[in-house]
Amino acid sequence: MNKILKRKNNRAFTLVELMVTISIFLILSSIVIFDYSSFRSQVSLQNLTDNIALSIRKAQSFAIGARRAVGQSVVSPFNNSYGIHFSTEGSTPGSLSGSRKSFLLFSVPSTSTKKSYSTSEVCGTTGNQCLELFDISHADMIESITAIGFGGTITSLDIVFTRPNPRAEFYVNKGTSAMSSVTSASIKVSNGLGSTDSKYKFKTITVQNTGQISIQ
């Protein structure tokens, strides 16, 4: 009886069994790492898409909710216009003129005839147009901007809301007046890979002139 127990206690992995186990572990680890990279890219792009949509909604709510223009010398400090500025010019994060790697929330005094964004020297400082600057992390980027009702190339877009109207106004390429012909505008964001790459992914945020925001 003791000899049988001893033989059982001495059993161990053979070299072949150990190699098979290691091979299976390496294969499974490779699959998990590959899928995690793809999953992380999807999550990052979705977060960027959600942040853009929420920022546009934030500008709309500021305008409709009559957010007070603190520190700005205006006749009606509750009638400011609010908007989001997008650009495809440059790729520098933190750019106050906007870039593929950043976008910003801005405010324009009610006394101003021009509702589009003008570059501020400082963002977040009382009295300046730029209220909040959003940097785009990882390899994600603003790939392109398009608009229904505008046939040319768009390098910058301001989506502006003015109290009490929830409708959106579109200022294209730093224009001084809203494009009344534009019925909707779309911001396409991608994970930074070429469209021919098998891992290429993109999302599109569309804003109707009615103020409706959708994601595809």
Side-chain angles (χ1 to χ4, degrees):
M1 184 69 178
N2 291 335
K3 291 181 179 181
I4 295 174
L5 290 175
K6 186 175 181 181
R7 281 199 300 271
K8 286 184 177 180
N9 291 335
N10 288 336
R11 291 188 62 186
F13 280 112
T14 65
L15 180 60
V16 173
E17 290 173 331
L18 182 61
M19 291 178 66
V20 169
T21 302
I22 293 174
S23 298
I24 293 173
F25 174 77
L26 291 175
I27 291 172
L28 292 176
S29 297
S30 299
I31 293 173
V32 170
I33 292 172
F34 176 80
D35 286 344
Y36 175 75
S37 177
S38 178
F39 172 74
R40 183 181 178 183
S41 177
Q42 289 180 344
V43 170
S44 175
L45 187 60
Q46 185 63 54
N47 286 340
L48 172 59
T49 305
D50 292 341
N51 285 340
I52 289 177
L54 289 173
S55 297
I56 297 172
R57 184 66 72 192
K58 186 177 184 179
Q60 187 183 47
S61 64
F62 278 178
I64 297 174
R67 182 179 188 267
R68 186 175 186 277
V70 179
Q72 292 184 338
S73 300
V74 296
V75 176
S76 301
F78 296 98
N79 289 339
N80 269 29
S81 296
Y82 292 88
I84 301 293
H85 175 73
F86 299 99
S87 176
T88 58
E89 295 182 305
S91 56
T92 304
S95 173
L96 287 174
S97 60
S99 73
R100 293 184 183 275
K101 298 293 291 182
S102 63
F103 60 98
L104 54 91
L105 169 68
F106 68 93
S107 172
V108 180
S110 59
T111 53
S112 176
T113 57
K114 179 184 176 183
K115 296 297 190 292
S116 58
Y117 173 71
S118 296
T119 304
S120 297
E121 294 181 0
V122 181
C123 188
T125 302
T126 299
N128 280 341
Q129 279 195 341
C130 180
L131 300 179
E132 191 172 359
L133 181 64
F134 304 91
D135 282 341
I136 300 175
S137 59
H138 304 295
D140 301 332
M141 58 183 284
I142 297 173
E143 183 171 310
S144 63
I145 302 171
T146 57
I148 302 299
F150 183 82
T153 300
I154 299 178
T155 56
S156 71
L157 173 71
D158 297 330
I159 303 175
V160 181
F161 301 92
T162 302
R163 183 181 184 236
N165 200 335
R167 295 176 64 88
E169 294 182 323
F170 304 103
Y171 291 79
V172 178
N173 296 340
K174 303 177 182 178
T176 57
S177 59
M179 297 289 296
S180 58
S181 61
V182 174
T183 57
S184 67
S186 298
I187 299 93
K188 181 180 179 181
V189 295
S190 72
N191 58 359
L193 299 176
S195 58
T196 57
D197 195 301
S198 60
K199 297 180 182 180
Y200 171 76
K201 299 182 186 301
F202 72 91
K203 293 277 187 180
T204 304
I205 306 96
T206 300
V207 182
Q208 306 290 335
N209 58 3
T210 58
Q212 181 182 357
I213 304 168
S214 62
I215 297 174
Q216 293 180 330

